[in-house]
Amino acid sequence: MKSALLAAVATSALLLAAPASAQGVKIGILNDQSGVYADYGGKWSVEAARMAIEDFGGEVLGQKIELVTADHQNKPDLASSIARRWYDVENVDMITELTTSSVALAIHELSKEKKKIDIVVGAATSRLTGDACQPYGFHWAYDTRALGVGTGGALTKAGGDTWYFLTADYAFGYALEKDTSEIVTANGGKVVGSVRVPLNSSDFSSFLLQAQSSKAKIVGLANAGLDTTNSIKQASEFGIVASGQKLAGLLMTLAEVNGLGLQAAQGLVLTEGYYWDLNDKTRNLGERFLKRTGRMPSMIHAGTYSATLSYLKAVKAAGTKDPEAVAKKLKELPVDDDFAQGGKVLENGRMVHDMYLFEVKKPAESKKPWDYYKLLATVPGDKAFFTAKDSGCPLTK
């Protein structure tokens, strides 16, 4: 009996000391699931990650793939607390989606400290692969530079040469205003002013009046999610577009267009990294997602699918979950899936792929549900994003 007891104790000790790899591969989706960005990413991004895991086969290296999720409520301190627990206690191997730039920057720094991989999809700031880059950090789907090149460049070239910005008052808004302003001025335009708007505002009237009085040809909405849809609705009430100014939704996705409806959104010019009706591959993902959720994916949802799938492919190719080896493979493997075709990951962690400039259709032009966009131009990835050399990332020096 004594020897049996000792054997049981020894077995328990071995189980407790078992490496994290024996516990499977664990992926975390950390995003806004209840606030201003809940429709933009939220539970739909979780479903996209589930799709990727299922498509991969549910296991990698003979280990089950597990998905955990949490709502960070757009609070960097809460997000950091959750991520720290995931890394230290729950053996989460990779965190993705990470809506909200202030959150993404905080988790990016924590992931560097813990030597864990994060793949940002929902947050926009180009700083993630610029001055804030780190060896285990990646950025998928889009960034503020790509949005500025697409929407800012196109509208300025088309004669919208004076701009006024309504800017979300945190890291994302600042980066989007900065990157778009640089594109506007490089194309011969001028920024005549801007105003900072608190996140999750309900009343945009005073900010819109300032934009209206500026007489700028373009009112650039450097915000996202419900903030964008609310500012567009209230701009209509003030007659801003009717009086001759044009609204530029600098970060709008299919989710926000759907929320507005074509009657309100028609004519808006925007840039996305994905649209379900572009080609056979994007339609395949879109139609499967629609069957599961009742809605078509935006670039955030499709990007989360791609980021999750790419991570799993890198783990398989590396033959290990070791972050150094997986990060190396992420930068070596091409990204060719239902989100992006011909994508590549640069040394600074930026996934480069084509971006698309769209105009929202008039209601009469839409022939079927979710038929919302007219393609105006394809922006090649090497034109949309900073090169690794020009990004400001210390890793590339």
Side-chain angles (χ1 to χ4, degrees):
M1 186 180 291
K2 184 178 179 182
S3 60
L5 181 61
L6 288 171
V9 169
T11 301
S12 298
L14 284 170
L15 288 171
L16 288 170
S21 61
Q23 299 171 10
V25 175
K26 194 176 285 191
I27 294 170
I29 300 286
L30 186 56
N31 65 2
D32 176 7
Q33 298 178 13
S34 59
V36 66
Y37 300 137
D39 208 35
Y40 166 91
K43 63 183 180 181
W44 315 114
S45 293
V46 176
E47 197 60 35
R50 284 200 186 101
M51 279 182 66
I53 291 168
E54 290 170 17
D55 287 354
F56 194 78
E59 63 176 44
V60 62
L61 307 181
Q63 301 170 35
K64 182 183 175 185
I65 303 163
E66 184 180 348
L67 185 69
V68 296
T69 77
D71 182 354
H72 61 47
Q73 299 174 36
N74 299 308
K75 298 174 181 175
D77 54 346
L78 175 61
S80 296
S81 176
I82 293 167
R84 192 174 292 275
R85 185 184 76 244
W86 278 0
Y87 285 154
D88 292 347
V89 179
E90 299 183 29
N91 297 308
V92 169
D93 299 293
M94 186 272 282
I95 297 176
T96 187
E97 221 272 49
L98 294 167
T99 307
T100 316
S101 290
S102 51
V103 164
L105 288 164
I107 303 309
H108 220 49
E109 189 60 31
L110 178 65
S111 299
K112 177 184 177 182
E113 174 195 328
K114 298 294 181 180
K115 295 186 177 179
K116 294 275 193 172
I117 287 175
D118 70 69
I119 306 180
V120 177
V121 180
T125 178
S126 59
R127 288 190 57 211
L128 289 160
T129 50
D131 67 297
C133 75
Q134 50 98 342
Y136 312 98
F138 297 83
H139 201 180
W140 239 246
Y142 76 109
D143 65 17
T144 50
R145 158 74 180 194
L147 298 176
V149 170
T151 309
L155 289 175
T156 306
K157 288 173 186 174
D161 55 5
T162 53
W163 285 65
Y164 187 94
F165 289 94
L166 265 64
T167 302
D169 193 11
Y170 74 103
F172 150 64
Y174 312 150
L176 186 50
E177 180 187 330
K178 175 181 178 292
D179 286 346
T180 306
S181 296
E182 289 174 356
I183 297 299
V184 168
T185 54
N187 283 281
K190 181 181 179 183
V191 177
V192 299
S194 66
V195 61
R196 300 279 171 87
V197 185
L199 181 66
N200 202 16
S201 293
S202 58
D203 184 3
F204 289 82
S205 56
S206 65
F207 312 118
L208 288 165
L209 286 170
Q210 290 178 62
Q212 195 170 39
S213 65
S214 75
K215 306 296 185 186
K217 293 178 183 176
I218 307 292
V219 178
L221 303 176
N223 52 17
L226 284 176
D227 282 348
T228 300
T229 55
N230 287 336
S231 52
I232 290 171
K233 287 175 183 175
Q234 291 177 36
S236 177
E237 294 167 9
F238 280 99
I240 286 180
V241 175
S243 65
Q245 290 176 294
K246 192 173 183 68
L247 296 177
L250 294 171
L251 175 48
M252 285 194 72
T253 73
L254 202 70
E256 288 74 60
V257 172
N258 185 61
L260 277 168
L262 290 183
Q263 188 62 43
Q266 62 183 308
L268 284 170
V269 174
L270 55 91
T271 301
E272 284 215 55
Y274 166 92
Y275 177 50
W276 71 270
D277 205 16
L278 276 174
N279 56 52
D280 288 342
K281 283 197 166 188
T282 59
R283 278 188 286 273
N284 176 57
L285 177 62
E287 287 162 5
R288 291 193 299 126
F289 191 85
L290 177 67
K291 189 179 258 188
R292 293 174 73 114
T293 66
R295 62 188 292 142
M296 283 294 182
S298 72
M299 68 172 168
I300 308 305
H301 313 133
T304 302
Y305 171 89
S306 175
T308 304
L309 196 61
S310 294
Y311 172 75
L312 294 171
K313 288 177 179 178
V315 170
K316 181 180 179 181
T320 175
K321 296 194 304 180
D322 175 70
E324 302 276 357
V326 175
K328 186 171 182 287
K329 284 298 177 185
L330 276 166
K331 293 174 183 178
E332 290 176 358
L333 296 174
V335 179
D336 200 348
D337 53 34
D338 288 354
F339 167 73
Q341 295 83 54
K344 60 183 178 181
V345 181
L346 304 182
E347 185 184 353
N348 62 352
R350 173 69 257 171
M351 199 277 275
V352 170
H353 56 97
D354 291 348
M355 297 291 289
Y356 305 97
L357 184 71
F358 297 109
E359 181 179 319
V360 179
K361 290 182 174 182
K362 297 173 182 175
E365 295 173 319
S366 179
K367 304 304 181 189
K368 56 190 173 183
W370 298 95
D371 177 23
Y372 292 166
Y373 290 168
K374 288 189 289 189
L375 179 64
L376 299 180
T378 298
V379 185
D382 58 358
K383 297 284 190 290
F385 298 97
F386 284 118
T387 64
K389 181 182 176 184
D390 293 336
S391 67
C393 171
L395 298 177
T396 65
K397 291 181 180 177

